[in-house]
Amino acid sequence: LAGLRDVKVLTASLAVASTLYAHSHIELILLGGTARRGSPDLSGPLTEDNLARFHVDLAVLGADAMTPEGIYTHDVGVSRLCRIMAAHARRAIVAADSSKFGGHAFYRIAGWSEFDDLFTDEAVPPSVRKWLAQTDCRVHYASVPKPLTLQRHAHPPMRMPS
């Protein structure tokens, strides 16, 4: 977002709002609603009603789990909000790391045909890549840098003065 000007971000995420608040080139619009327990998000009927009033260029959605049938979340309210967001967007994308494949979550947000793109990392197993290639969704694999490893040096034991 740093290179873009006159960007409007519509969000129910307090974490996203907190991160973007200081950027003067971003107009930040919070959807309102009830703060979810255990998650810095807003949800509920007020959030859903407010979201339905907007039409956005791009909806970026996450997932708690992904299967050949679609993307899933643990929270029914989040699922409703995600479906409304995708329905009111010109393009809907999913951004989720490879750990979400093969997992299990309570409620299906939508099937793959509802999304234009999936952005994930290269660690997606070949068996998953095979069924992903058969969906209507374009898949983009990002390389993930390897974590830094610190070398440990042997230090002589410390001695306390007597």
Side-chain angles (χ1 to χ4, degrees):
L1 295 175
L4 301 175
R5 292 288 170 243
D6 300 322
V7 174
K8 292 180 180 156
V9 174
L10 180 67
T11 186
S13 169
L14 298 174
V16 168
S18 177
T19 300
L20 299 180
Y21 175 76
H23 297 277
S24 61
H25 68 286
I26 296 174
E27 181 180 345
L28 185 60
I29 304 164
L30 291 173
L31 288 168
T34 304
R36 289 178 51 217
R37 295 251 184 248
S39 178
D41 298 323
L42 303 171
S43 64
L46 178 62
T47 313
E48 294 169 16
D49 289 346
N50 288 341
L51 180 57
R53 299 172 196 270
F54 291 91
H55 180 78
V56 299
D57 290 326
L58 180 65
V60 180
L61 307 175
D64 292 321
M66 297 184 287
T67 72
E69 289 75 38
I71 70 168
Y72 291 78
T73 182
H74 295 294
D75 188 282
V76 174
V78 169
S79 178
R80 280 195 314 267
L81 198 59
C82 288
R83 282 197 311 276
I84 294 167
M85 191 177 303
H88 288 87
R90 197 167 46 82
R91 280 183 64 216
I93 67 171
V94 178
D97 67 78
S98 59
S99 71
K100 307 300 182 187
F101 290 103
H104 179 268
F106 181 65
Y107 203 82
R108 189 170 90 130
I109 295 170
W112 290 107
S113 63
E114 302 297 316
F115 302 102
D116 298 292
D117 297 273
L118 165 66
F119 291 84
T120 190
D121 60 81
E122 291 179 329
V124 175
S127 61
V128 172
R129 288 177 185 241
K130 184 175 180 179
W131 63 255
L132 275 174
Q134 297 173 14
T135 68
D136 296 329
C137 191
R138 288 181 299 272
V139 182
H140 309 271
Y141 298 99
S143 60
V144 178
K146 296 193 186 307
L148 294 175
T149 56
L150 300 176
Q151 292 183 346
R152 297 189 181 264
H153 298 285
H155 295 284
M158 293 183 67
R159 298 193 194 272
M160 298 299 287
S162 352

